[in-house]
PDB file of all heavy atoms in Angstrom:
ATOM      1  N   TYR A   1       0.823  -1.214   0.000  1.00 96.00           N
ATOM      2  CA  TYR A   1       0.000   0.000   0.000  1.00 96.00           C
ATOM      3  C   TYR A   1       0.862   1.272   0.000  1.00 96.00           C
ATOM      4  O   TYR A   1       0.343   2.364   0.192  1.00 96.00           O
ATOM      5  CB  TYR A   1      -0.938   0.000   1.206  1.00 96.00           C
ATOM      6  CG  TYR A   1      -2.235  -0.731   0.947  1.00 96.00           C
ATOM      7  CD1 TYR A   1      -2.286  -2.119   0.967  1.00 96.00           C
ATOM      8  CD2 TYR A   1      -3.419  -0.043   0.685  1.00 96.00           C
ATOM      9  CE1 TYR A   1      -3.464  -2.804   0.730  1.00 96.00           C
ATOM     10  CE2 TYR A   1      -4.608  -0.705   0.454  1.00 96.00           C
ATOM     11  CZ  TYR A   1      -4.625  -2.089   0.479  1.00 96.00           C
ATOM     12  OH  TYR A   1      -5.811  -2.760   0.229  1.00 96.00           O
ATOM     13  N   GLU A   2       2.155   1.083  -0.215  1.00 94.00           N
ATOM     14  CA  GLU A   2       3.096   2.197  -0.306  1.00 94.00           C
ATOM     15  C   GLU A   2       3.045   3.093   0.932  1.00 94.00           C
ATOM     16  O   GLU A   2       3.196   4.316   0.858  1.00 94.00           O
ATOM     17  CB  GLU A   2       2.824   3.010  -1.573  1.00 94.00           C
ATOM     18  CG  GLU A   2       2.955   2.186  -2.842  1.00 94.00           C
ATOM     19  CD  GLU A   2       2.500   2.926  -4.085  1.00 94.00           C
ATOM     20  OE1 GLU A   2       2.016   4.067  -3.980  1.00 94.00           O
ATOM     21  OE2 GLU A   2       2.627   2.339  -5.185  1.00 94.00           O
ATOM     22  N   ALA A   3       2.843   2.454   2.085  1.00 94.00           N
ATOM     23  CA  ALA A   3       2.778   3.185   3.351  1.00 94.00           C
ATOM     24  C   ALA A   3       4.053   2.991   4.176  1.00 94.00           C
ATOM     25  O   ALA A   3       4.101   3.403   5.338  1.00 94.00           O
ATOM     26  CB  ALA A   3       1.561   2.727   4.160  1.00 94.00           C
ATOM     27  N   TRP A   4       5.060   2.351   3.599  1.00 93.00           N
ATOM     28  CA  TRP A   4       6.351   2.154   4.272  1.00 93.00           C
ATOM     29  C   TRP A   4       7.313   3.169   3.674  1.00 93.00           C
ATOM     30  O   TRP A   4       7.739   3.046   2.529  1.00 93.00           O
ATOM     31  CB  TRP A   4       6.838   0.731   4.044  1.00 93.00           C
ATOM     32  CG  TRP A   4       8.065   0.341   4.835  1.00 93.00           C
ATOM     33  CD1 TRP A   4       9.300   0.063   4.340  1.00 93.00           C
ATOM     34  CD2 TRP A   4       8.163   0.155   6.253  1.00 93.00           C
ATOM     35  NE1 TRP A   4      10.165  -0.277   5.350  1.00 93.00           N
ATOM     36  CE2 TRP A   4       9.492  -0.226   6.550  1.00 93.00           C
ATOM     37  CE3 TRP A   4       7.261   0.284   7.304  1.00 93.00           C
ATOM     38  CZ2 TRP A   4       9.932  -0.485   7.842  1.00 93.00           C
ATOM     39  CZ3 TRP A   4       7.695   0.022   8.602  1.00 93.00           C
ATOM     40  CH2 TRP A   4       9.012  -0.351   8.856  1.00 93.00           C
ATOM     41  N   ILE A   5       7.612   4.210   4.430  1.00 92.00           N
ATOM     42  CA  ILE A   5       8.351   5.336   3.869  1.00 92.00           C
ATOM     43  C   ILE A   5       9.561   5.704   4.726  1.00 92.00           C
ATOM     44  O   ILE A   5       9.676   5.273   5.874  1.00 92.00           O
ATOM     45  CB  ILE A   5       7.439   6.576   3.742  1.00 92.00           C
ATOM     46  CG1 ILE A   5       6.959   7.034   5.124  1.00 92.00           C
ATOM     47  CG2 ILE A   5       6.256   6.285   2.819  1.00 92.00           C
ATOM     48  CD1 ILE A   5       6.228   8.360   5.121  1.00 92.00           C
ATOM     49  N   GLU A   6      10.424   6.524   4.151  1.00 91.00           N
ATOM     50  CA  GLU A   6      11.574   7.028   4.900  1.00 91.00           C
ATOM     51  C   GLU A   6      11.135   8.217   5.753  1.00 91.00           C
ATOM     52  O   GLU A   6      10.458   9.126   5.265  1.00 91.00           O
ATOM     53  CB  GLU A   6      12.686   7.462   3.943  1.00 91.00           C
ATOM     54  CG  GLU A   6      13.945   7.935   4.665  1.00 91.00           C
ATOM     55  CD  GLU A   6      15.045   8.353   3.715  1.00 91.00           C
ATOM     56  OE1 GLU A   6      15.032   9.539   3.294  1.00 91.00           O
ATOM     57  OE2 GLU A   6      15.886   7.510   3.362  1.00 91.00           O
ATOM     58  N   LYS A   7      11.524   8.184   7.010  1.00 90.00           N
ATOM     59  CA  LYS A   7      11.191   9.267   7.927  1.00 90.00           C
ATOM     60  C   LYS A   7      12.480   9.854   8.502  1.00 90.00           C
ATOM     61  O   LYS A   7      13.562   9.293   8.329  1.00 90.00           O
ATOM     62  CB  LYS A   7      10.303   8.754   9.068  1.00 90.00           C
ATOM     63  CG  LYS A   7       8.938   8.242   8.626  1.00 90.00           C
ATOM     64  CD  LYS A   7       8.096   7.842   9.818  1.00 90.00           C
ATOM     65  CE  LYS A   7       6.690   7.465   9.408  1.00 90.00           C
ATOM     66  NZ  LYS A   7       5.841   7.160  10.599  1.00 90.00           N
ATOM     67  N   SER A   8      12.338  10.966   9.185  1.00 87.00           N
ATOM     68  CA  SER A   8      13.497  11.617   9.782  1.00 87.00           C
ATOM     69  C   SER A   8      13.132  12.180  11.146  1.00 87.00           C
ATOM     70  O   SER A   8      12.072  12.804  11.311  1.00 87.00           O
ATOM     71  CB  SER A   8      13.996  12.738   8.873  1.00 87.00           C
ATOM     72  OG  SER A   8      15.113  13.398   9.446  1.00 87.00           O
ATOM     73  N   MET A   9      13.975  11.938  12.126  1.00 82.00           N
ATOM     74  CA  MET A   9      13.766  12.482  13.466  1.00 82.00           C
ATOM     75  C   MET A   9      15.113  12.877  14.058  1.00 82.00           C
ATOM     76  O   MET A   9      16.020  12.047  14.148  1.00 82.00           O
ATOM     77  CB  MET A   9      13.058  11.462  14.367  1.00 82.00           C
ATOM     78  CG  MET A   9      12.798  11.966  15.791  1.00 82.00           C
ATOM     79  SD  MET A   9      11.942  10.760  16.827  1.00 82.00           S
ATOM     80  CE  MET A   9      10.301  10.818  16.098  1.00 82.00           C
ATOM     81  N   TYR A  10      15.213  14.132  14.443  1.00 85.00           N
ATOM     82  CA  TYR A  10      16.459  14.658  15.016  1.00 85.00           C
ATOM     83  C   TYR A  10      17.650  14.372  14.109  1.00 85.00           C
ATOM     84  O   TYR A  10      18.750  14.040  14.566  1.00 85.00           O
ATOM     85  CB  TYR A  10      16.701  14.074  16.405  1.00 85.00           C
ATOM     86  CG  TYR A  10      15.560  14.293  17.366  1.00 85.00           C
ATOM     87  CD1 TYR A  10      14.879  13.205  17.924  1.00 85.00           C
ATOM     88  CD2 TYR A  10      15.155  15.576  17.707  1.00 85.00           C
ATOM     89  CE1 TYR A  10      13.817  13.401  18.797  1.00 85.00           C
ATOM     90  CE2 TYR A  10      14.084  15.777  18.588  1.00 85.00           C
ATOM     91  CZ  TYR A  10      13.425  14.695  19.125  1.00 85.00           C
ATOM     92  OH  TYR A  10      12.375  14.892  19.978  1.00 85.00           O
ATOM     93  N   GLY A  11      17.416  14.478  12.811  1.00 85.00           N
ATOM     94  CA  GLY A  11      18.497  14.276  11.848  1.00 85.00           C
ATOM     95  C   GLY A  11      18.760  12.835  11.492  1.00 85.00           C
ATOM     96  O   GLY A  11      19.561  12.546  10.594  1.00 85.00           O
ATOM     97  N   ARG A  12      18.090  11.916  12.168  1.00 89.00           N
ATOM     98  CA  ARG A  12      18.303  10.491  11.880  1.00 89.00           C
ATOM     99  C   ARG A  12      17.205   9.983  10.954  1.00 89.00           C
ATOM    100  O   ARG A  12      16.021  10.177  11.222  1.00 89.00           O
ATOM    101  CB  ARG A  12      18.278   9.676  13.177  1.00 89.00           C
ATOM    102  CG  ARG A  12      18.532   8.183  12.976  1.00 89.00           C
ATOM    103  CD  ARG A  12      18.523   7.449  14.300  1.00 89.00           C
ATOM    104  NE  ARG A  12      17.211   7.419  14.906  1.00 89.00           N
ATOM    105  CZ  ARG A  12      16.291   6.478  14.640  1.00 89.00           C
ATOM    106  NH1 ARG A  12      16.546   5.525  13.770  1.00 89.00           N
ATOM    107  NH2 ARG A  12      15.125   6.509  15.259  1.00 89.00           N
ATOM    108  N   LYS A  13      17.591   9.341   9.871  1.00 91.00           N
ATOM    109  CA  LYS A  13      16.623   8.811   8.926  1.00 91.00           C
ATOM    110  C   LYS A  13      16.361   7.332   9.198  1.00 91.00           C
ATOM    111  O   LYS A  13      17.275   6.591   9.542  1.00 91.00           O
ATOM    112  CB  LYS A  13      17.110   9.019   7.499  1.00 91.00           C
ATOM    113  CG  LYS A  13      17.169  10.484   7.089  1.00 91.00           C
ATOM    114  CD  LYS A  13      17.522  10.655   5.628  1.00 91.00           C
ATOM    115  CE  LYS A  13      17.499  12.135   5.235  1.00 91.00           C
ATOM    116  NZ  LYS A  13      17.798  12.334   3.799  1.00 91.00           N
ATOM    117  N   TYR A  14      15.121   6.946   9.037  1.00 87.00           N
ATOM    118  CA  TYR A  14      14.751   5.551   9.275  1.00 87.00           C
ATOM    119  C   TYR A  14      13.471   5.246   8.500  1.00 87.00           C
ATOM    120  O   TYR A  14      12.791   6.160   8.015  1.00 87.00           O
ATOM    121  CB  TYR A  14      14.514   5.308  10.775  1.00 87.00           C
ATOM    122  CG  TYR A  14      13.364   6.118  11.348  1.00 87.00           C
ATOM    123  CD1 TYR A  14      12.097   5.556  11.519  1.00 87.00           C
ATOM    124  CD2 TYR A  14      13.532   7.452  11.715  1.00 87.00           C
ATOM    125  CE1 TYR A  14      11.041   6.285  12.030  1.00 87.00           C
ATOM    126  CE2 TYR A  14      12.481   8.196  12.230  1.00 87.00           C
ATOM    127  CZ  TYR A  14      11.241   7.612  12.390  1.00 87.00           C
ATOM    128  OH  TYR A  14      10.184   8.362  12.881  1.00 87.00           O
ATOM    129  N   MET A  15      13.133   3.979   8.365  1.00 93.00           N
ATOM    130  CA  MET A  15      11.920   3.567   7.675  1.00 93.00           C
ATOM    131  C   MET A  15      10.793   3.335   8.678  1.00 93.00           C
ATOM    132  O   MET A  15      11.025   2.818   9.777  1.00 93.00           O
ATOM    133  CB  MET A  15      12.168   2.290   6.873  1.00 93.00           C
ATOM    134  CG  MET A  15      13.230   2.426   5.793  1.00 93.00           C
ATOM    135  SD  MET A  15      12.831   3.698   4.568  1.00 93.00           S
ATOM    136  CE  MET A  15      11.412   2.928   3.750  1.00 93.00           C
ATOM    137  N   GLY A  16       9.607   3.746   8.308  1.00 93.00           N
ATOM    138  CA  GLY A  16       8.468   3.565   9.203  1.00 93.00           C
ATOM    139  C   GLY A  16       7.159   3.687   8.438  1.00 93.00           C
ATOM    140  O   GLY A  16       7.144   3.956   7.231  1.00 93.00           O
ATOM    141  N   ILE A  17       6.068   3.480   9.148  1.00 95.00           N
ATOM    142  CA  ILE A  17       4.736   3.526   8.525  1.00 95.00           C
ATOM    143  C   ILE A  17       4.252   4.963   8.394  1.00 95.00           C
ATOM    144  O   ILE A  17       4.287   5.742   9.349  1.00 95.00           O
ATOM    145  CB  ILE A  17       3.725   2.702   9.344  1.00 95.00           C
ATOM    146  CG1 ILE A  17       4.075   1.211   9.268  1.00 95.00           C
ATOM    147  CG2 ILE A  17       2.299   2.923   8.840  1.00 95.00           C
ATOM    148  CD1 ILE A  17       3.138   0.318  10.064  1.00 95.00           C
ATOM    149  N   ASP A  18       3.800   5.288   7.195  1.00 94.00           N
ATOM    150  CA  ASP A  18       3.161   6.574   6.953  1.00 94.00           C
ATOM    151  C   ASP A  18       1.736   6.497   7.492  1.00 94.00           C
ATOM    152  O   ASP A  18       0.965   5.628   7.084  1.00 94.00           O
ATOM    153  CB  ASP A  18       3.136   6.851   5.447  1.00 94.00           C
ATOM    154  CG  ASP A  18       2.348   8.105   5.090  1.00 94.00           C
ATOM    155  OD1 ASP A  18       2.304   9.037   5.915  1.00 94.00           O
ATOM    156  OD2 ASP A  18       1.794   8.137   3.972  1.00 94.00           O
ATOM    157  N   ARG A  19       1.402   7.388   8.411  1.00 96.00           N
ATOM    158  CA  ARG A  19       0.027   7.397   8.918  1.00 96.00           C
ATOM    159  C   ARG A  19      -0.889   7.778   7.752  1.00 96.00           C
ATOM    160  O   ARG A  19      -0.885   8.920   7.281  1.00 96.00           O
ATOM    161  CB  ARG A  19      -0.110   8.412  10.059  1.00 96.00           C
ATOM    162  CG  ARG A  19      -1.428   8.267  10.831  1.00 96.00           C
ATOM    163  CD  ARG A  19      -1.595   9.360  11.876  1.00 96.00           C
ATOM    164  NE  ARG A  19      -0.466   9.444  12.781  1.00 96.00           N
ATOM    165  CZ  ARG A  19      -0.258   8.627  13.811  1.00 96.00           C
ATOM    166  NH1 ARG A  19      -1.112   7.641  14.034  1.00 96.00           N
ATOM    167  NH2 ARG A  19       0.788   8.780  14.592  1.00 96.00           N
ATOM    168  N   SER A  20      -1.637   6.814   7.285  1.00 96.00           N
ATOM    169  CA  SER A  20      -2.447   7.039   6.088  1.00 96.00           C
ATOM    170  C   SER A  20      -3.759   6.264   6.180  1.00 96.00           C
ATOM    171  O   SER A  20      -3.855   5.251   6.879  1.00 96.00           O
ATOM    172  CB  SER A  20      -1.677   6.610   4.831  1.00 96.00           C
ATOM    173  OG  SER A  20      -1.207   5.279   4.957  1.00 96.00           O
ATOM    174  N   THR A  21      -4.751   6.763   5.481  1.00 97.00           N
ATOM    175  CA  THR A  21      -6.086   6.160   5.505  1.00 97.00           C
ATOM    176  C   THR A  21      -6.558   5.921   4.079  1.00 97.00           C
ATOM    177  O   THR A  21      -6.393   6.777   3.205  1.00 97.00           O
ATOM    178  CB  THR A  21      -7.086   7.079   6.233  1.00 97.00           C
ATOM    179  OG1 THR A  21      -6.634   7.304   7.572  1.00 97.00           O
ATOM    180  CG2 THR A  21      -8.470   6.457   6.268  1.00 97.00           C
ATOM    181  N   TRP A  22      -7.144   4.762   3.887  1.00 96.00           N
ATOM    182  CA  TRP A  22      -7.586   4.343   2.554  1.00 96.00           C
ATOM    183  C   TRP A  22      -9.069   3.991   2.600  1.00 96.00           C
ATOM    184  O   TRP A  22      -9.488   3.124   3.370  1.00 96.00           O
ATOM    185  CB  TRP A  22      -6.786   3.126   2.088  1.00 96.00           C
ATOM    186  CG  TRP A  22      -5.305   3.369   2.119  1.00 96.00           C
ATOM    187  CD1 TRP A  22      -4.522   3.541   3.224  1.00 96.00           C
ATOM    188  CD2 TRP A  22      -4.449   3.521   0.990  1.00 96.00           C
ATOM    189  NE1 TRP A  22      -3.218   3.778   2.850  1.00 96.00           N
ATOM    190  CE2 TRP A  22      -3.137   3.775   1.483  1.00 96.00           C
ATOM    191  CE3 TRP A  22      -4.652   3.454  -0.396  1.00 96.00           C
ATOM    192  CZ2 TRP A  22      -2.055   3.953   0.652  1.00 96.00           C
ATOM    193  CZ3 TRP A  22      -3.559   3.631  -1.227  1.00 96.00           C
ATOM    194  CH2 TRP A  22      -2.285   3.879  -0.707  1.00 96.00           C
ATOM    195  N   LEU A  23      -9.852   4.666   1.780  1.00 94.00           N
ATOM    196  CA  LEU A  23     -11.282   4.409   1.712  1.00 94.00           C
ATOM    197  C   LEU A  23     -11.531   3.539   0.481  1.00 94.00           C
ATOM    198  O   LEU A  23     -11.233   3.941  -0.640  1.00 94.00           O
ATOM    199  CB  LEU A  23     -12.040   5.726   1.616  1.00 94.00           C
ATOM    200  CG  LEU A  23     -13.557   5.682   1.788  1.00 94.00           C
ATOM    201  CD1 LEU A  23     -14.065   7.047   2.200  1.00 94.00           C
ATOM    202  CD2 LEU A  23     -14.247   5.240   0.511  1.00 94.00           C
ATOM    203  N   ILE A  24     -12.056   2.343   0.710  1.00 94.00           N
ATOM    204  CA  ILE A  24     -12.247   1.355  -0.352  1.00 94.00           C
ATOM    205  C   ILE A  24     -13.738   1.057  -0.488  1.00 94.00           C
ATOM    206  O   ILE A  24     -14.419   0.774   0.509  1.00 94.00           O
ATOM    207  CB  ILE A  24     -11.479   0.064  -0.013  1.00 94.00           C
ATOM    208  CG1 ILE A  24      -9.986   0.393   0.187  1.00 94.00           C
ATOM    209  CG2 ILE A  24     -11.667  -0.982  -1.103  1.00 94.00           C
ATOM    210  CD1 ILE A  24      -9.194  -0.703   0.858  1.00 94.00           C
ATOM    211  N   ASP A  25     -14.254   1.153  -1.698  1.00 91.00           N
ATOM    212  CA  ASP A  25     -15.694   0.950  -1.875  1.00 91.00           C
ATOM    213  C   ASP A  25     -16.054  -0.532  -1.926  1.00 91.00           C
ATOM    214  O   ASP A  25     -15.183  -1.404  -1.818  1.00 91.00           O
ATOM    215  CB  ASP A  25     -16.210   1.700  -3.116  1.00 91.00           C
ATOM    216  CG  ASP A  25     -15.714   1.099  -4.437  1.00 91.00           C
ATOM    217  OD1 ASP A  25     -15.192  -0.032  -4.434  1.00 91.00           O
ATOM    218  OD2 ASP A  25     -15.855   1.770  -5.477  1.00 91.00           O
ATOM    219  N   GLY A  26     -17.337  -0.812  -2.101  1.00 90.00           N
ATOM    220  CA  GLY A  26     -17.823  -2.189  -2.076  1.00 90.00           C
ATOM    221  C   GLY A  26     -17.328  -3.042  -3.224  1.00 90.00           C
ATOM    222  O   GLY A  26     -17.441  -4.272  -3.173  1.00 90.00           O
ATOM    223  N   GLU A  27     -16.787  -2.404  -4.264  1.00 91.00           N
ATOM    224  CA  GLU A  27     -16.236  -3.145  -5.400  1.00 91.00           C
ATOM    225  C   GLU A  27     -14.739  -3.367  -5.259  1.00 91.00           C
ATOM    226  O   GLU A  27     -14.094  -3.904  -6.163  1.00 91.00           O
ATOM    227  CB  GLU A  27     -16.527  -2.380  -6.699  1.00 91.00           C
ATOM    228  CG  GLU A  27     -18.010  -2.178  -6.989  1.00 91.00           C
ATOM    229  CD  GLU A  27     -18.758  -3.493  -7.087  1.00 91.00           C
ATOM    230  OE1 GLU A  27     -18.219  -4.413  -7.740  1.00 91.00           O
ATOM    231  OE2 GLU A  27     -19.863  -3.602  -6.538  1.00 91.00           O
ATOM    232  N   GLY A  28     -14.177  -2.906  -4.132  1.00 92.00           N
ATOM    233  CA  GLY A  28     -12.750  -3.095  -3.919  1.00 92.00           C
ATOM    234  C   GLY A  28     -11.879  -2.032  -4.567  1.00 92.00           C
ATOM    235  O   GLY A  28     -10.670  -2.217  -4.717  1.00 92.00           O
ATOM    236  N   VAL A  29     -12.496  -0.904  -4.933  1.00 93.00           N
ATOM    237  CA  VAL A  29     -11.761   0.185  -5.584  1.00 93.00           C
ATOM    238  C   VAL A  29     -11.444   1.285  -4.566  1.00 93.00           C
ATOM    239  O   VAL A  29     -12.288   1.651  -3.752  1.00 93.00           O
ATOM    240  CB  VAL A  29     -12.583   0.782  -6.749  1.00 93.00           C
ATOM    241  CG1 VAL A  29     -11.854   1.983  -7.371  1.00 93.00           C
ATOM    242  CG2 VAL A  29     -12.853  -0.277  -7.807  1.00 93.00           C
ATOM    243  N   ILE A  30     -10.231   1.797  -4.613  1.00 93.00           N
ATOM    244  CA  ILE A  30      -9.816   2.859  -3.703  1.00 93.00           C
ATOM    245  C   ILE A  30     -10.454   4.170  -4.150  1.00 93.00           C
ATOM    246  O   ILE A  30     -10.241   4.628  -5.275  1.00 93.00           O
ATOM    247  CB  ILE A  30      -8.278   3.013  -3.692  1.00 93.00           C
ATOM    248  CG1 ILE A  30      -7.627   1.721  -3.210  1.00 93.00           C
ATOM    249  CG2 ILE A  30      -7.863   4.188  -2.810  1.00 93.00           C
ATOM    250  CD1 ILE A  30      -6.124   1.679  -3.421  1.00 93.00           C
ATOM    251  N   ARG A  31     -11.250   4.762  -3.272  1.00 92.00           N
ATOM    252  CA  ARG A  31     -11.944   5.995  -3.613  1.00 92.00           C
ATOM    253  C   ARG A  31     -11.272   7.237  -3.040  1.00 92.00           C
ATOM    254  O   ARG A  31     -11.311   8.307  -3.641  1.00 92.00           O
ATOM    255  CB  ARG A  31     -13.402   5.923  -3.130  1.00 92.00           C
ATOM    256  CG  ARG A  31     -14.242   4.932  -3.891  1.00 92.00           C
ATOM    257  CD  ARG A  31     -14.188   5.198  -5.377  1.00 92.00           C
ATOM    258  NE  ARG A  31     -14.912   4.203  -6.173  1.00 92.00           N
ATOM    259  CZ  ARG A  31     -14.818   4.118  -7.490  1.00 92.00           C
ATOM    260  NH1 ARG A  31     -14.023   4.941  -8.153  1.00 92.00           N
ATOM    261  NH2 ARG A  31     -15.496   3.205  -8.153  1.00 92.00           N
ATOM    262  N   ARG A  32     -10.682   7.113  -1.870  1.00 92.00           N
ATOM    263  CA  ARG A  32      -9.980   8.252  -1.281  1.00 92.00           C
ATOM    264  C   ARG A  32      -8.733   7.767  -0.555  1.00 92.00           C
ATOM    265  O   ARG A  32      -8.734   6.681   0.040  1.00 92.00           O
ATOM    266  CB  ARG A  32     -10.879   8.993  -0.267  1.00 92.00           C
ATOM    267  CG  ARG A  32     -12.019   9.770  -0.880  1.00 92.00           C
ATOM    268  CD  ARG A  32     -11.550  11.060  -1.541  1.00 92.00           C
ATOM    269  NE  ARG A  32     -10.924  11.957  -0.611  1.00 92.00           N
ATOM    270  CZ  ARG A  32     -11.591  12.834   0.153  1.00 92.00           C
ATOM    271  NH1 ARG A  32     -12.908  12.876   0.115  1.00 92.00           N
ATOM    272  NH2 ARG A  32     -10.940  13.645   0.967  1.00 92.00           N
TER     273      ARG A  32
END
């Protein structure tokens, strides 16, 4: 879902989950 991204904290870079929300309709299509 492309929610694993590079982040940065206090100059240190690391990989983590992007806080993200996916709205999927009854046909399985991503709407928002």
Side-chain angles (χ1 to χ4, degrees):
Y1 274 78
E2 300 172 357
W4 188 247
I5 63 171
E6 183 180 86
K7 296 184 174 184
S8 179
M9 180 179 288
Y10 304 119
R12 182 179 68 87
K13 293 186 177 182
Y14 63 98
M15 299 301 292
I17 293 179
D18 174 30
R19 192 185 306 281
S20 53
T21 301
W22 305 68
L23 191 158
I24 303 165
D25 69 14
E27 299 301 316
V29 176
I30 299 169
R31 291 305 176 191
R32 289 285 299 275

